[in-house]
Amino acid sequence: MNLTEEINKRRTFAIISHPDAGKTTLTEKLLLFGGAIQTAGAVKSNKITKTATSDFMEIEKQRGISVATSVMAFNYSGIKINLLDTPGHKDFAEDTYRTLTAVDSVVLVIDCVNGVEAQTEKLMAVCRMRNTPVIVFINKMDREGRDPFDLMDEIEEKLNIRVRPLSWPIGIGRTFQGVYNLHKKSLNLFEASKTKLAKDIITIDDLNNAELETQIGEEAAATLRENVELLDGVYDTFDTETYLSGEVAPVFFGSAFNNFGVQELLDTFITISPFPKSRTTDHRMVEPLEEKFSGFIFKIHANIDPRHRDRIAFLRICSGKFERNKFFHHVRLNKNIRFSNPTSFMAQDKSVVEEAFPGDVVGLYDSGNFKIGDTLTEGENIMFKGIPSFSPEIFKELVNKDPMKSKQLEKGIRQLTDEGVAQLFVKDPGNRKIVGTVGELQFEVIQYRLEHEYGASCFFQPLNYHKALWITSDNKAQLEMFLDKKSPYIVTDKDNNYVFLAESAWLLKLAIQDYPEIVFHTTSEFKTAVEV
Ligand code: G4P
């Protein structure tokens, strides 16, 4: 197979959702369809359970298991699908944000009872920044959920994306009878079953056909006709281009638990979802079809079990062909490295790969060479963009408890933050270290790992910051003035960029007003400025 064929047959995506909406269940059903697993329940271990939220060791243990499910590759209808796992636990949201930089599209699962939830909004905001194509799956239609029209409005409003239902439910909860596929003009009737994979699909080209009454009864038939008429009036005809540009999200309804609507979703997914596309670097665009290999590290998984101190760096391949034992250029370190055991993942199994292609993700055993965002090439000095840091939500100062171990502490915190466990900001003078995370759990993880892996002991002093904003300006004088006046709130990030720590939304607003020529960015890649 040549490179074009390899690329065309690959789809790399992630499923995102608010915890409990059904991501794990849907993943499992997709893997069943792909033949990657044989029994239901096989992916459950991947999930960080609610009961474990206060016990991070337990969570780490579960995360350890989830290394194997970081990438779940499977084949379906001749397409190689790479499904990248995203941790559901909100404290690991940064992991998820970074994984989203390595996919070409996403499937968003929404619980029809709860609608759009907090975590969904955050994750979608990241997708919207990159115009990632999104397919929406409204799950749990077997439960008494919200009115589907209301759900459509809520998605458009809260997630800032237009929707186009491609199927429409007939009833909901106890009255749920199935869905009408608006695209294929077929009726898919619901039968609660966890194991059944194939169903009978009834084609009804003309909704006025009396067959509809026979199948779903008079009342439901009348409602469906009405709804479909309304839908055709409200929504534009589905156009794949608007989906690919991230403007319109096609919507499906179903019940992952009952394996209903999943095949429909998968069939549409492989038809419309994008194959690996070109990617931006600091110098130029890289096309997947380029002969020379390139890729970037988007995730590093460290094992905190001292008996297995291996780290796995996950590499997304962007162009050319990755080969085992071939020397590749590590751009940041300016050195050549080869990998003797690059690993591919196939649901629960992992194996050593000889070669991999754009869209694929391989795990590289690492002894500390990699940081999140590192680029590998065949010699060219380029760095992939689009792996920004986002403003953390919780800030604490790292305080050394043992002055004799300050070197160990320095090394440990640098390495842990390179792995992406948390963000490190440094405040001068004094080299004070401020650690920012999206969840409390990370502080426990850092404290534990610093002690057990680096022999350093520390504690965290809570700080009251609202947000971290990356600052730039074309007006040097104003920037100097700002840095001087606000010096108690100025820190630098891992790449020595200036960051302003705002104490409250109100103080941030004031700063924006007082310094009109300074741009306050919400991410480290400076794409998104704060608006007043
Ligand atoms: P998550 O990964 O997004 O966090 O969600 P997960 O798939 O674990 O699903 C959360 C709960 O919702 C699970 O129940 C799951 O069985 C249930 N669920 C998923 N899809 C459907 C559906 O289509 N209909 C209904 N009624 N429930 C669904 P649980 O009780 O928390 O776990 P379990 O005991 O079933 O494993």
Side-chain angles (χ1 to χ4, degrees):
M1 219 184 283
N2 63 30
L3 190 56
T4 314
E5 287 165 336
E6 293 285 2
I7 293 167
N8 287 349
K9 70 172 230 189
R10 276 171 172 74
R11 301 288 183 277
T12 302
F13 83 112
I15 303 181
I16 55 174
S17 75
H18 189 88
D20 271 348
K23 182 174 73 74
T24 314
T25 315
L26 180 63
T27 302
E28 188 171 278
K29 300 297 158 158
L30 293 176
L31 294 182
L32 279 168
F33 275 113
I37 54 170
Q38 268 65 47
T39 50
V43 205
K44 274 289 170 196
S45 55
N46 159 26
K47 198 181 162 186
I48 293 166
T49 56
K50 281 168 280 185
T51 48
T53 44
S54 57
D55 180 355
F56 91 89
M57 279 307 286
E58 187 51 35
I59 289 180
E60 274 301 322
K61 226 162 59 198
Q62 295 188 33
R63 249 160 63 85
I65 298 165
S66 79
V67 175
T69 56
S70 284
V71 193
M72 291 164 279
F74 61 97
N75 291 301
Y76 182 76
S77 282
I79 299 290
K80 183 183 178 201
I81 300 176
N82 295 310
L83 168 51
L84 271 51
D85 187 33
T86 54
H89 197 291
K90 77 165 178 32
D91 284 11
F92 293 99
E94 279 261 4
D95 265 15
T96 302
Y97 299 158
R98 283 190 294 261
T99 298
L100 292 180
T101 65
V103 300
D104 299 303
S105 70
V106 302
V107 168
L108 167 65
V109 182
I110 291 179
D111 178 337
C112 72
V113 183
N114 297 327
V116 174
E117 296 172 85
Q119 192 73 355
T120 326
E121 285 188 57
K122 285 192 190 166
L123 294 170
M124 267 300 285
V126 177
C127 293
R128 302 291 297 134
M129 274 174 58
R130 307 178 58 237
N131 296 325
T132 309
V134 180
I135 298 181
V136 177
F137 184 74
I138 312 261
N139 192 28
K140 306 196 184 179
M141 290 304 290
D142 56 316
R143 296 188 52 199
E144 302 300 325
R146 306 245 302 270
D147 176 76
F149 281 105
D150 288 350
L151 281 171
M152 295 301 100
D153 288 348
E154 188 181 50
I155 294 171
E156 292 204 329
E157 233 168 73
K158 289 195 178 163
L159 302 183
N160 186 25
I161 191 163
R162 275 159 52 213
V163 296
R164 183 32 164 137
L166 290 188
S167 75
W168 197 251
I170 302 159
I172 194 161
R174 265 171 300 119
T175 62
F176 183 58
Q177 295 203 56
V179 293
Y180 181 68
N181 188 318
L182 297 154
H183 208 50
K184 294 190 181 147
K185 298 193 184 315
S186 61
L187 205 57
N188 188 355
L189 295 180
F190 175 65
E191 190 184 316
S193 151
K194 269 199 268 182
T195 47
K196 205 171 129 217
L197 287 180
K199 313 153 244 17
D200 297 327
I201 310 253
I202 303 149
T203 305
I204 299 195
D205 283 332
D206 180 1
L207 272 182
N208 291 320
N209 192 326
E211 176 67 11
L212 191 64
E213 270 85 357
T214 320
Q215 292 295 340
I216 62 176
E218 249 173 58
E219 205 182 315
T223 312
L224 179 65
R225 286 187 189 115
E226 225 173 80
N227 286 345
V228 171
E229 206 181 308
L230 206 60
L231 288 167
D232 287 341
V234 174
Y235 299 105
D236 297 334
T237 321
F238 177 65
D239 165 14
T240 313
E241 284 311 310
T242 55
Y243 153 70
L244 290 174
S245 59
E247 292 161 66
V248 174
V251 180
F252 289 91
F253 292 83
S255 166
F257 182 77
N258 292 294
N259 213 343
F260 185 78
V262 179
Q263 183 160 18
E264 210 167 16
L265 171 77
L266 189 54
D267 285 339
T268 308
F269 173 79
I270 58 162
T271 318
I272 65 171
S273 69
F275 47 78
K277 287 279 181 291
S278 51
R279 289 190 167 247
T280 329
T281 69
D282 53 356
H283 282 86
R284 62 182 188 88
M285 292 292 276
V286 167
E287 302 297 329
L289 257 175
E290 288 177 23
E291 219 171 279
K292 295 219 160 117
F293 156 81
S294 68
F296 66 90
I297 304 293
F298 64 94
K299 170 173 172 158
I300 294 175
H301 195 107
N303 200 336
I304 65 161
D305 181 344
R307 283 166 302 167
H308 306 278
R309 282 286 296 278
D310 47 339
R311 291 187 355 160
I312 300 177
F314 289 87
L315 171 79
R316 147 92 198 207
I317 292 148
C318 299
S319 67
K321 183 162 90 169
F322 172 89
E323 286 169 81
R324 178 160 98 105
N325 280 329
K326 182 169 175 177
F327 276 101
F328 290 122
H329 179 57
H330 187 312
V331 178
R332 182 177 55 86
L333 298 182
N334 190 23
K335 74 176 188 186
N336 291 338
I337 311 183
R338 64 179 175 163
F339 305 94
S340 49
N341 289 308
T343 306
S344 81
F345 301 86
M346 199 85 181
Q348 307 298 90
D349 302 323
K350 51 182 184 172
S351 53
V352 171
V353 273
E354 292 301 326
E355 53 184 33
F357 297 92
D360 285 343
V361 170
V362 292
L364 305 175
Y365 288 95
D366 174 40
S367 51
N369 279 317
F370 289 118
K371 263 193 201 192
I372 302 274
D374 275 342
T375 298
L376 286 175
T377 66
E378 285 197 33
E380 196 179 351
N381 283 321
I382 46 171
M383 286 295 266
F384 281 97
K385 293 181 73 167
I387 311 132
S389 304
F390 296 86
S391 176
E393 289 169 21
I394 308 174
F395 299 85
K396 291 189 186 186
E397 181 164 353
L398 176 76
V399 186
N400 189 2
K401 272 212 292 206
D402 181 355
M404 304 292 287
K405 296 282 172 63
S406 47
K407 263 197 179 148
Q408 285 86 335
L409 188 79
E410 180 83 27
K411 183 177 172 204
I413 193 67
R414 295 262 168 211
Q415 287 195 350
L416 294 185
T417 46
D418 283 353
E419 261 175 40
V421 178
Q423 286 182 57
L424 178 65
F425 302 103
V426 174
K427 177 144 183 31
D428 277 323
N431 190 24
R432 283 171 59 197
K433 293 186 174 52
I434 295 172
V435 175
T437 68
V438 286
E440 282 290 344
L441 219 52
Q442 264 73 7
F443 294 104
E444 280 180 60
V445 173
I446 294 169
Q447 204 166 9
Y448 180 91
R449 291 190 54 189
L450 282 174
E451 196 177 327
H452 288 81
E453 294 173 32
Y454 300 90
S457 57
C458 72
F459 67 91
F460 285 102
Q461 187 98 48
L463 296 170
N464 246 340
Y465 293 118
H466 160 69
K467 251 195 174 92
L469 288 310
W470 282 261
I471 46 176
T472 54
S473 181
D474 290 335
N475 182 337
K476 250 188 149 181
Q478 191 166 99
L479 185 63
E480 291 291 325
M481 189 158 83
F482 183 80
L483 293 175
D484 184 45
K485 283 258 163 61
K486 301 281 177 194
S487 68
Y489 307 101
I490 303 295
V491 291
T492 47
D493 74 357
K494 61 178 170 29
D495 301 316
N496 282 327
N497 296 308
Y498 284 122
V499 178
F500 171 56
L501 299 178
E503 285 188 306
S504 68
W506 183 73
L507 285 170
L508 171 61
K509 205 172 155 184
L510 275 188
I512 296 171
Q513 276 166 4
D514 292 348
Y515 296 88
E517 291 194 45
I518 291 185
V519 193
F520 297 79
H521 309 268
T522 53
T523 77
S524 64
E525 273 194 356
F526 311 151
K527 271 189 201 148
T528 37
V530 180
E531 286 167 20
V532 226

